[in-house]
Amino acid sequence: MFKNYLKTLWRNMQKNKLHTAINVIGMAVAFTCSILLMVMVYNEFSFDKFHDNKSKLYKLYTFGNTPEGLDLSASMGYPAAATVKSENIGIVKSTRIRNRGGEIRYKEKSLDQSTLMVDDDFFSMFSFPVVKGAKEHPLAGIDNIVLNEKTAGNLFGDEDPIGKKVEVKIGGQWIALSVSAVLKDAPLNSSIRFSALARTEADPSYAELKNDWNSQHHSVYVQLAANTTQAQVENQLRNFTKKYNPTDVDFLKKKGYRQDANGDYTGMKILPIEELHFSAALGTGNSVSKSFLYILLLVAFVIILIACFNFVNLNIGLSFTRTKEIGIRKCLGAGKRQVWMQVWGESFITVLASMLIAIGATMILMSGFNKLMEAKFDISLLYQPSIIFYLVVLLLLVSLIASGYPSFIMGKLKTVEILKGKISLKKPGIFRNALIVAQFVIAIVLICTTVIIYQQFQHLRKAPLGYTTESLVSIPLKKYEKGKEIVSKLRTMLASQSGVVSITGSDVNLGMGQDNSTSRTSFGFDYNGKSIGTDFMAADYDILKTLNIPVKQGRDFSTSYVADSSTSVIVTESMAKQLGEGNVVGLSFYADSSKPKWTVVGVIPDFHLYSMYEKNDPLTISMNSTSFISYALIRVNTQNPTATMDIIKNAFAQVQPGEEFKGSYVTENIDRWYTNEKRLSSMFSIASMVAIILSCMGLFGMAFIIIRQRVKEIGVRKVLGASVSGIATLVTKEFIKPVIIALVIATPIAWWAMHKWLQDFSYRVDIQWWIFIVAGVVAVMIAILTVSFHAIKAAVANPVKSLRTE
């Protein structure tokens, strides 16, 4: 019997090549998209789940209910980690993690690798296995350092690194440390990544800042005690905050801060480490939004759904061309169950073939998918038990959805009616039209979302940041402790170049440069009984000229003023407003009572030093001699950016011989800020294209079936005088109505979905009405072009031949 069913399946495939191709190719494309997206989602959701203590690991953060919304920060002062551990609030372990340094050397070999400054609890909290050296307390001594396998291999080769002395550059100073252990490289799905680990106390700045709560520059991770919940610890943190970091409630009220459900204006909370990868504000730079992942799952689902709709529609249409075969089988004793099994079995084999093709296509396309999504997914993910289970469930579910209804319809047909030829599908069915409507609802929604996501991405890239991003070059400086000297030499060497307008330096990069590094420094102090909070930026002469930022009051830093290199500061308008003075130029105040007063020499408009995702906080710019310059910023005026970059590169090579040049234009750096949006835009563009192609394939096949069943009717109409255009319009109109209905349904859905998505952005585009009109027109035109081929072909056919054939 099974052999007979296979023969029947093969004959039907041979007989209906077009529809078989549409079904197999359509399902294979849908499965391929679904598998690729599922692999991506699986990988993202697996982040930080490899830690043995994951259910007890949290990241400490502060919050503030500002007038602009909830403001989150993971930056802490040095005392925080030890204090939360000692206060008996349910925290048994804690570690600071601060990204410091940029170079490690051993003998004559040097590596551009940063060092994480951590505490000894780090190793018992996180699951990074020791492969060589001290397994218990690898950082027991302040003079110890731990390397990962890759760094140890690059630095020592085949030599045993344990006990060897290496030098690490931290805070501009070379510090000798002894290698005590080698850790296994952190997996790709780890939010915490490292090349080397050293004790926090080894940082040259530690002694000066160890008791300073306001100097915030690192993250703190904690491990909760057994049988202690997040809610319990957060409740204890309310009292902890009041004790160690009290706030002026009256001042916060005046600034517009709001109370939360607990009555707090500001405070501390903890974030589960399993949620760290999904928090843009508190993550480690490789975060991704959960809504983005859910959108990917939704896209995978709707693409599968469209392919299933095609399968159902085509199978229903083709099933009614096999009524005589089914009737004869029933006469020979086949029951409903056997008919159902035959029809479902044929569909299952078709779906299985599509699945196998899709798995092969996934393996081939994985590298290209990685490039598109700027990811590093491995083909081995396909062998994960959860992925295999997903594929099996998907296979069974799709086969049931795609063939269950046609199988049910064929199984319940009466034998007598079948043999008398009373079964037909000459009238358009409600179910068939409903599926066409559903297909185009999905396609139109995807078209609209693609356009809006692209507009938002372009808005983020091109939105005015408050300074001129074009024709501005950023160069990371490896020897940042000599940053001011390097910038001065570059200024002298490039002074004769007409294409170079001005040169300055900063400790903050503009955008994400080729060093893939970003930093943010903030601090607070009291002034006239008020709590002042500000971001900090170290800079060099001509910072405003180079960034092309207008001066509201005062002036730029200048070599004409000696004090500019020590105590002068430039503040943004929001910082000036905090100081509460009318004209703050000339105002002197203490930001740190142990250091000289700062004097305001200029006031500038607020500008976006960081991405459009981050709150635009008050900013203080200083030329403090103790601050390092990590980036050279060069304003150019040229019609040949490549040639100008080569000139800058040659000058850099003379100033810093042997150092790698990682200069880039700031516009490129800003693009790197919005990698996820670029990925989302690309993904939706492809998804929309796939959805439209699959919808068109289904409509094309369905039109062929319906028109084939109306050949006699069309022949009679032609004999009675109907024109070719009249017949083509009559046939096409039947398929256009569902598309117009789909537009009416899809418009509010697309608007609602995009309105909700845009709420995540502080700076967002407005949804334009014309997007929905264009999407509708595109969908209607595509439907007309798809159906018109068969409609015109049927209309121009010889009616004599069609009537004789019938």
Side-chain angles (χ1 to χ4, degrees):
M1 182 65 72
F2 181 72
K3 184 178 179 181
N4 179 261
Y5 285 166
L6 287 177
K7 285 183 178 180
T8 304
L9 170 63
W10 179 250
R11 288 169 184 165
N12 285 326
M13 285 182 171
Q14 290 289 99
K15 181 181 178 182
N16 301 289
K17 292 185 177 68
L18 174 64
H19 304 93
T20 300
I22 290 174
N23 277 338
V24 173
I25 295 174
M27 291 304 301
V29 170
F31 279 140
T32 302
C33 293
S34 176
I35 293 170
L36 287 171
L37 294 176
M38 186 60 195
V39 166
M40 179 178 179
V41 171
Y42 173 85
N43 180 74
E44 299 294 347
F45 274 112
S46 71
F47 259 72
D48 301 313
K49 287 185 169 55
F50 62 90
H51 296 294
D52 296 335
N53 300 323
K54 59 181 179 292
S55 63
K56 290 295 180 182
L57 295 178
Y58 292 81
K59 186 174 188 177
L60 192 65
Y61 70 93
T62 59
F63 69 90
N65 298 303
T66 70
E68 294 80 20
L70 184 63
D71 182 32
L72 305 178
S73 174
S75 295
M76 297 289 163
Y78 274 133
T83 311
V84 293
K85 180 180 174 181
S86 64
E87 279 291 306
N88 194 28
I89 60 174
I91 293 173
V92 293
K93 294 179 181 180
S94 66
T95 182
R96 292 162 284 207
I97 297 183
R98 186 181 186 187
N99 194 347
R100 291 284 273 169
E103 197 171 353
I104 304 174
R105 68 188 184 192
Y106 173 68
K107 295 181 179 179
E108 301 301 320
K109 184 172 285 188
S110 177
L111 300 177
D112 291 335
Q113 303 281 7
S114 62
T115 300
L116 292 189
M117 313 305 292
V118 301
D119 297 311
D120 195 43
D121 279 347
F122 178 92
F123 302 94
S124 58
M125 291 171 63
F126 302 107
S127 300
F128 298 117
V130 176
V131 295
K132 187 180 293 185
K135 296 186 181 296
E136 298 292 332
H137 306 290
L139 288 180
I142 297 176
D143 61 344
N144 290 143
I145 186 172
V146 174
L147 308 177
N148 69 353
E149 287 183 298
K150 182 178 179 181
T151 302
N154 290 338
L155 202 58
F156 291 95
D158 296 330
E159 188 178 349
D160 186 2
I162 304 302
K164 300 294 192 305
K165 290 282 186 180
V166 298
E167 288 183 295
V168 181
K169 192 177 184 181
I170 302 173
Q173 299 182 31
W174 286 102
I175 298 173
L177 300 173
S178 176
V179 179
S180 59
V182 175
L183 296 186
K184 189 177 181 64
D185 292 341
L188 293 176
N189 60 346
S190 174
S191 295
I192 300 172
R193 307 195 63 79
F194 57 87
S195 300
L197 303 169
R199 280 284 288 270
T200 299
E201 295 87 344
D203 192 322
S205 69
Y206 178 75
E208 179 185 358
L209 300 174
K210 64 180 180 180
N211 297 316
D212 189 347
W213 287 85
N214 291 325
S215 182
Q216 300 170 344
H217 35 56
H218 66 273
S219 300
V220 172
Y221 292 83
V222 299
Q223 181 175 324
L224 305 192
N227 302 319
T228 303
T229 65
Q230 178 181 353
Q232 289 172 334
V233 172
E234 288 184 341
N235 188 50
Q236 293 288 336
L237 282 171
R238 296 181 65 202
N239 295 325
F240 178 88
T241 304
K242 292 173 183 177
K243 180 178 179 180
Y244 290 99
N245 193 22
T247 55
D248 185 342
V249 174
D250 292 333
F251 176 70
L252 293 177
K253 286 180 179 178
K254 289 179 182 178
K255 290 187 68 176
Y257 276 64
R258 300 182 301 273
Q259 290 179 311
D260 60 15
N262 295 320
D264 297 324
Y265 294 92
T266 62
M268 279 187 178
K269 289 187 176 181
I270 51 177
L271 178 76
I273 193 170
E274 292 176 277
E275 296 296 318
L276 186 61
H277 184 58
F278 310 113
S279 175
L282 305 175
T284 57
N286 60 347
S287 59
V288 60
S289 169
K290 273 190 177 180
S291 60
F292 172 71
L293 300 180
Y294 292 140
I295 288 172
L296 291 183
L297 288 176
L298 181 62
V299 168
F301 173 74
V302 297
I303 289 177
I304 288 287
L305 207 58
I306 289 175
C308 288
F309 289 165
N310 283 348
F311 208 104
V312 170
N313 260 341
L314 293 177
N315 276 11
I316 289 175
L318 288 175
S319 294
F320 283 94
T321 65
R322 299 175 58 188
T323 52
K324 290 183 180 179
E325 174 199 336
I326 300 299
I328 292 172
R329 286 186 181 277
K330 285 198 167 192
C331 281
L332 296 175
K336 289 182 180 181
R337 181 174 174 276
Q338 286 177 301
V339 172
W340 188 93
M341 284 296 296
Q342 179 194 349
V343 179
W344 175 80
E346 291 176 359
S347 298
F348 176 80
I349 292 174
T350 304
V351 174
L352 177 61
S354 301
M355 174 69 81
L356 295 175
I357 293 172
I359 292 173
T362 301
M363 293 179 176
I364 295 171
L365 296 173
M366 185 63 80
S367 60
F369 183 72
N370 280 335
K371 290 181 182 177
L372 174 68
M373 304 306 283
E374 298 184 22
K376 296 179 180 179
F377 306 125
D378 193 86
I379 200 69
S380 62
L381 285 171
L382 288 175
Y383 309 130
Q384 294 292 324
S386 53
I387 296 292
I388 294 173
F389 175 77
Y390 161 76
L391 295 178
V392 173
V393 170
L394 186 65
L395 174 64
L396 295 174
L397 194 62
V398 168
S399 64
L400 287 172
I401 293 173
S403 61
Y405 183 73
S407 304
F408 172 75
I409 292 295
M410 296 307 296
K412 74 173 188 177
L413 293 177
K414 296 180 181 179
T415 307
V416 175
E417 291 180 351
I418 293 173
L419 296 177
K420 285 183 177 181
K422 292 184 179 181
I423 306 300
S424 69
L425 196 68
K426 294 180 181 179
K427 299 282 185 178
I430 295 176
F431 184 74
R432 183 199 73 209
N433 284 343
L435 293 182
I436 293 175
V437 168
Q439 279 183 315
F440 276 91
V441 164
I442 295 170
I444 293 170
V445 167
L446 286 174
I447 292 172
C448 294
T449 52
T450 299
V451 174
I452 294 170
I453 289 172
Y454 177 77
Q455 286 183 330
Q456 177 64 18
F457 173 56
Q458 292 299 107
H459 175 69
L460 292 174
R461 289 181 61 240
K462 298 181 179 180
L465 299 179
Y467 63 91
T468 306
T469 58
E470 293 78 13
S471 302
L472 185 59
V473 177
S474 169
I475 308 171
L477 304 178
K478 184 176 179 181
K479 296 181 178 178
Y480 51 84
E481 73 281 5
K482 296 182 179 179
K484 291 184 179 181
E485 180 184 337
I486 295 170
V487 169
S488 179
K489 288 181 179 179
L490 285 172
R491 188 181 287 121
T492 302
M493 291 194 66
L494 294 172
S496 61
Q497 296 294 330
S498 59
V500 176
V501 178
S502 62
I503 300 176
T504 189
S506 166
D507 68 335
V508 179
N509 201 0
L510 302 177
M512 181 67 72
Q514 292 193 34
D515 60 342
N516 293 318
S517 178
T518 184
S519 64
R520 186 169 190 166
T521 303
S522 60
F523 62 89
F525 59 93
D526 293 329
Y527 173 73
N528 284 349
K530 297 181 294 186
S531 296
I532 307 295
T534 178
D535 283 341
F536 178 81
M537 176 183 182
D540 198 31
Y541 295 111
D542 296 331
I543 181 67
L544 303 186
K545 178 182 178 182
T546 305
L547 298 187
N548 199 19
I549 297 176
V551 180
K552 288 286 186 178
Q553 298 172 2
R555 58 177 176 79
D556 196 353
F557 292 133
S558 171
T559 54
S560 302
Y561 298 87
V562 178
D564 280 3
S565 62
S566 56
T567 59
S568 297
V569 295
I570 297 171
V571 299
T572 57
E573 287 181 302
S574 59
M575 178 59 182
K577 187 176 179 181
Q578 283 193 106
L579 295 173
E581 307 286 344
N583 184 352
V584 299
V585 174
L587 176 69
S588 296
F589 59 91
Y590 284 108
D592 186 338
S593 58
S594 65
K595 296 179 180 179
K597 281 186 175 182
W598 279 350
T599 301
V600 178
V601 299
V603 178
I604 59 175
D606 288 274
F607 68 97
H608 290 277
L609 184 58
Y610 304 98
S611 81
M612 300 287 279
Y613 275 115
E614 300 187 55
K615 184 184 173 186
N616 200 11
D617 287 332
L619 176 67
T620 301
I621 305 174
S622 170
M623 280 189 61
N624 193 323
S625 58
T626 61
S627 299
F628 296 133
I629 295 297
S630 305
Y631 301 91
L633 303 173
I634 303 176
R635 168 72 58 190
V636 299
N637 181 17
T638 177
Q639 301 299 318
N640 192 338
T642 304
T644 303
M645 184 66 85
D646 287 339
I647 293 172
I648 295 172
K649 185 176 181 180
N650 291 334
F652 180 83
Q654 295 179 53
V655 173
Q656 291 289 284
E659 301 293 345
E660 183 182 1
F661 179 78
K662 294 184 177 180
S664 57
Y665 281 96
V666 169
T667 49
E668 299 170 357
N669 294 356
I670 291 171
D671 280 349
R672 294 188 189 98
W673 265 343
Y674 306 112
T675 301
N676 281 344
E677 285 68 33
K678 184 178 179 181
R679 291 163 60 193
L680 188 61
S681 179
S682 300
M683 183 271 295
F684 262 93
S685 299
I686 294 172
S688 298
M689 190 181 303
V690 170
I692 291 169
I693 291 172
L694 291 178
S695 298
C696 290
M697 287 172 65
L699 203 59
F700 186 83
M702 203 64 218
F704 177 74
I705 292 173
I706 297 301
I707 291 172
R708 188 172 68 177
Q709 293 172 346
R710 297 179 65 180
V711 167
K712 185 176 180 180
E713 174 196 339
I714 292 171
V716 171
R717 287 180 181 275
K718 287 199 71 175
V719 169
L720 295 177
S723 64
V724 171
S725 60
I727 292 173
T729 302
L730 176 70
V731 175
T732 304
K733 185 170 64 175
E734 182 179 323
F735 293 93
I736 300 305
K737 287 179 182 177
V739 178
I740 294 174
I741 294 171
L743 173 62
V744 174
I745 296 172
T747 298
I749 295 174
W751 182 89
W752 175 82
M754 287 294 94
H755 177 74
K756 294 288 288 183
W757 179 71
L758 287 170
Q759 299 311 303
D760 291 337
F761 299 89
S762 300
Y763 308 92
R764 51 184 176 265
V765 295
D766 295 323
I767 299 177
Q768 305 293 325
W769 60 268
W770 59 263
I771 294 173
F772 306 102
I773 302 298
V774 170
V777 170
V778 169
V780 170
M781 292 303 298
I782 288 173
I784 291 173
L785 291 173
T786 302
V787 175
S788 60
F789 173 79
H790 290 308
I792 294 172
K793 184 178 179 181
V796 299
N798 189 340
V800 176
K801 182 179 178 182
S802 62
L803 292 173
R804 184 174 65 239
T805 302
E806 285 290 314

